[in-house]
Amino acid sequence: MFTGIIECTTEVYRLNRQKNNLFITFKNPFLDHIKINQSIAHNGICLSIIEIINGTYSVIASEETLRCTNLYFLKIKDEVNLERGMKVNERLDGHIVQGHIDTIAKIVEINRKNGSWLFSFKSRKILDNLVIEKGSISVNGISLTIKKYSNKIFSVSIIPYTYEKTNLHFMKVGDFVNVEYDILGKYIIKNLCF
């Protein structure tokens, strides 16, 4: 369980495809504060650590994870957003993020707006009743508020701090991001449909 408040970014150090899986090695920004089998959100994807060695750590992404996330496009030296699992005795500053990606979305527009940025996305799969203005959404693991939604495109405002402290400042139109819709909305809709 995560909150969508990114702790830092790190660089992809090595990629190794084995059959249908992808082994990913990252530079370790957490020093001694992580352990084998710990879950960390990488661009919003919950992945478990399988190895820690020489200032790096590794995770594995299965075929299914590669199919529905932006890990398929990952390259060495790409910057990835990181968040360790939330502690139960701390504030939930973002919203509840599971690390289970619903779909990917393409950046269709980036506009600078009076010191902030407006990012617009068109997702591969949009659940209209889950994308609501002022609602929460996770984009590359970042807890964000939907500013506008129209014609299958949703927009979010990015403040300078979030822009600088996440991998959004590396992104350009045409890039893909991971999207996780609000879990509370999903449960409400499921129960209303019965």
Side-chain angles (χ1 to χ4, degrees), residues 2-188:
F2 308 95
T3 68
I5 303 300
I6 303 304
E7 292 183 69
C8 60
T9 63
T10 195
E11 193 176 277
V12 177
Y13 183 73
R14 186 181 312 118
L15 296 169
N16 182 13
R17 291 192 183 271
Q18 293 185 10
K19 298 186 178 175
N20 293 331
N21 297 324
L22 178 63
F23 289 78
I24 312 165
T25 302
F26 297 97
K27 291 185 178 176
N28 182 0
F30 299 118
L31 303 174
D32 296 329
H33 304 293
I34 59 172
K35 60 185 181 181
I36 302 293
N37 210 30
Q38 181 177 352
S39 293
I40 296 178
H42 300 77
N43 279 352
I45 309 159
C46 181
L47 298 169
S48 297
I49 297 170
I50 59 169
E51 181 180 66
I52 302 170
I53 187 168
N54 296 331
T56 66
Y57 72 88
S58 299
V59 298
I60 184 171
S62 68
E63 180 180 16
E64 172 63 13
T65 301
L66 294 173
R67 186 187 64 75
C68 63
T69 69
N70 68 359
L71 290 182
Y72 178 84
F73 305 102
L74 204 60
K75 301 181 298 298
I76 291 172
K77 294 195 174 179
D78 278 357
E79 288 286 326
V80 173
N81 294 332
L82 298 179
E83 181 190 359
R84 289 173 290 177
M86 73 179 207
K87 296 179 181 177
V88 293
N89 63 341
E90 294 196 1
R91 290 184 183 91
L92 180 64
D93 289 323
H95 72 281
I96 296 171
V97 177
Q98 292 186 294
H100 304 159
I101 303 304
D102 291 303
T103 189
I104 59 173
K106 185 185 227 178
I107 300 173
V108 293
E109 196 171 14
I110 302 172
N111 289 311
R112 190 153 188 182
K113 298 275 188 182
N114 297 321
S116 293
W117 287 261
L118 185 68
F119 277 69
S120 297
F121 306 90
K122 184 168 188 178
S123 89
R124 186 184 281 173
K125 173 179 74 173
I126 287 213
L127 306 177
D128 285 325
N129 44 9
L130 289 175
V131 183
I132 58 171
E133 292 181 11
K134 307 291 187 279
S136 295
I137 197 162
S138 171
V139 174
N140 263 7
I142 309 162
S143 175
L144 296 168
T145 302
I146 298 165
K147 180 179 171 84
K148 186 177 179 184
Y149 175 60
S150 177
N151 298 321
K152 306 292 184 185
I153 293 174
F154 69 91
S155 300
V156 295
S157 289
I158 307 295
I159 62 172
Y161 182 87
T162 302
Y163 184 80
E164 289 300 326
K165 298 296 182 183
T166 68
N167 63 4
L168 288 179
H169 67 274
F170 294 106
M171 310 231 94
K172 58 191 182 307
V173 171
D175 286 346
F176 288 92
V177 295
N178 296 317
V179 174
E180 180 183 329
Y181 300 117
D182 186 7
I183 186 63
L184 298 178
K186 288 191 253 188
Y187 276 115
I188 290 167

